[in-house]
Amino acid sequence: MPTLTRFATFGSALLLSGVTMAEEITVTDVAGREVTVDAPVERMILGEGRQVYLLGALEPDAPFEHVVGWREDFSQADPDNYALYAERFPELEDLPTFGGFKDGTFDVEQAAALQPDVILMNLEARAATEDAGYDTKLAELDIPIVYVDFREDPIAHTTPSMRLMGELLGKQQAAEDFIAFSEAQMARVTDVIDANAPERPRVFIDRAGGYSDDCCMSFGQGNFGEYVELAGGSNIADGIIPSTFGTLNPEQIISANPQQVVVTGGSWDAYVPGGNWVGVGPGANLDEARRKLEALSERTAMTGIDAVENGNMHAIWHQFYNSPYYFVAVQQLARWFHPELFADLDPEATMTELHERFLPVAYKPGYWVSLHD
């Protein structure tokens, strides 16, 4: 049989059997780089473990099927969700782990030995990646880097990152379904805010409050700072913190006199054992979380502010800043800021539907708590 005919017959058999043949595609990542990749991708390295938040929505039945290695941060930064994923997908505990590009502990030779088709990197690591020459070394090994982002500018970049990953995995429809859901859920807040133009409460986002004794990390215009604005609040750090992440001192907070305080929290025993952080997340002990939240209200920076006087101090899952589920955070913020406008909005139901329709693990409540609950 001539070679061409034999190849065509083999290709037809693959198609009939449901096997998808890889082909070279060129994609534009969120850094604006054109990257050529064999797709659908069969072997990938996750430059951050929490990229599984996106991956799980695209391949909920087998999110680790094509992962050959990942950065070891998911188990430390979000141990509660890690445990849920590990219970259903125990194979994740055998995946090779890597250090980070930003701290210079990534091992290029280890990565090359795994023969990945692509390495997914977070946009924030780009400067360190290029400064350390990782991009050049990987290019010499014919291993492409594709940048995604759901932290630096989640509102602008999460949707294109989801589409990009959908294209790489051949899961375009799954990506579009998730995007349509997230946009519809966001509109349930933004349409109401636009229609009613309510008075905006002054809001302080206390980033990882209690993680250290220093006070206080927060957000500028981006990330949770933008969530505040979308939910009908006014971020007191806007105009003080020039970039996405930064710090306010106690005097600045007291002077701004926020009417609402929102602490981001999680389970961070891996970093600060027994710390004062507020442990919200799936299955959290909300009585203990509320106790820690109340203790944070007694810091110097909270002295005499309206939010504490009126019990408008809340805590919410920190990883909403670093996942494609930000629209749920915006809904919950809107409920706190404007309860009269959003009495019928149920972020708990949104979170439940998100898990039932898109995610590999069942929903467990515990993602937020308030002193007035």
Side-chain angles (χ1 to χ4, degrees):
M1 180 184 293
T3 301
L4 183 60
T5 304
R6 186 166 60 248
F7 178 79
T9 301
F10 176 66
S12 299
L14 284 178
L15 290 174
L16 289 171
S17 68
V19 176
T20 303
M21 297 180 65
E23 62 176 310
E24 269 195 359
I25 63 170
T26 299
V27 298
T28 302
D29 67 12
V30 296
R33 302 159 56 253
E34 289 193 348
V35 186
T36 300
V37 182
D38 287 335
V41 168
E42 289 296 326
R43 302 175 64 82
M44 65 170 60
I45 289 175
L46 305 184
E48 178 170 299
R50 283 167 288 179
Q51 288 169 348
V52 75
Y53 296 144
L54 289 85
L55 195 58
L58 294 173
E59 297 189 310
D61 293 329
F64 301 98
E65 180 179 0
H66 303 296
V67 179
V68 295
W70 60 347
R71 184 180 167 213
E72 191 175 14
D73 61 277
F74 186 28
S75 64
Q76 299 166 336
D78 188 10
D80 301 321
N81 269 303
Y82 179 89
L84 293 177
Y85 275 80
E87 182 179 4
R88 181 168 179 196
F89 307 105
E91 64 270 21
L92 71 83
E93 301 198 72
D94 297 324
L95 287 173
T97 57
F98 291 88
F101 278 30
K102 289 182 72 175
D103 61 14
T105 58
F106 182 80
D107 189 329
V108 173
E109 292 183 1
Q110 180 193 9
L114 295 172
Q115 300 180 310
D117 299 318
V118 68
I119 296 179
L120 288 176
M121 287 301 305
N122 280 6
L123 183 62
E124 65 181 62
R126 182 184 182 186
T129 300
E130 295 177 351
D131 289 346
Y134 287 128
D135 56 333
T136 301
K137 294 174 185 176
L138 290 167
E140 290 171 353
L141 296 168
D142 199 27
I143 301 174
I145 296 173
V146 170
Y147 287 104
V148 297
D149 177 47
F150 44 101
R151 180 192 287 115
E152 291 293 306
D153 193 349
I155 300 298
H157 289 159
T158 297
T159 290
S161 293
M162 185 65 82
R163 283 200 173 106
L164 180 60
M165 289 181 68
E167 192 170 2
L168 292 176
L169 291 164
K171 299 292 184 180
Q172 292 94 332
Q173 189 57 56
E176 292 304 321
D177 290 345
F178 183 92
I179 290 165
F181 177 74
S182 65
E183 289 178 347
Q185 294 300 327
M186 279 289 287
R188 297 177 68 191
V189 173
T190 54
D191 287 356
V192 173
I193 295 297
D194 290 346
N196 291 273
E199 184 176 347
R200 292 175 174 266
R202 301 181 301 277
V203 181
F204 168 52
I205 297 290
D206 188 359
R207 182 186 175 202
Y211 186 89
S212 72
D213 292 333
D214 297 331
C215 183
C216 293
M217 294 188 294
S218 192
F219 299 85
Q221 289 186 342
N223 205 289
F224 258 97
E226 189 170 5
Y227 302 174
V228 166
E229 299 295 327
L230 291 168
S234 177
N235 177 21
I236 67 166
D238 188 6
I240 301 176
I241 295 176
S243 56
T244 300
F245 309 107
T247 304
L248 298 179
N249 62 48
E251 292 76 17
Q252 289 171 316
I253 297 167
I254 293 169
S255 176
N257 190 20
Q259 297 160 292
Q260 301 273 350
V261 171
V262 180
V263 179
T264 68
S267 298
W268 291 319
D269 268 320
Y271 302 127
V272 187
N276 295 320
W277 35 263
V278 182
V280 287
N285 180 338
L286 293 185
D287 289 336
E288 175 63 8
R290 192 177 292 106
R291 183 191 69 78
K292 285 189 170 184
L293 179 61
E294 188 164 8
L296 292 179
S297 74
E298 298 171 0
R299 292 171 296 170
T300 299
M302 304 291 106
T303 302
I305 65 172
D306 286 350
V308 172
E309 296 296 321
N310 297 319
N312 287 323
M313 189 159 177
H314 325 279
I316 197 166
W317 187 53
H318 182 74
Q319 301 304 330
F320 281 125
Y321 98 118
N322 188 37
S323 73
Y325 322 142
Y326 58 85
F327 53 89
V328 185
V330 172
Q331 288 189 358
Q332 185 57 44
L333 294 176
R335 284 270 298 180
W336 284 329
F337 302 165
H338 302 288
E340 72 289 347
L341 291 179
F342 295 101
D344 295 330
L345 181 62
D346 186 355
E348 200 84 53
T350 302
M351 200 66 164
T352 300
E353 184 178 359
L354 168 66
H355 280 72
E356 290 176 348
R357 288 185 57 187
F358 298 102
L359 301 184
V361 295
Y363 175 56
K364 287 190 173 183
Y367 284 80
W368 46 77
V369 68
S370 179
L371 290 188
H372 61 51
D373 288 346

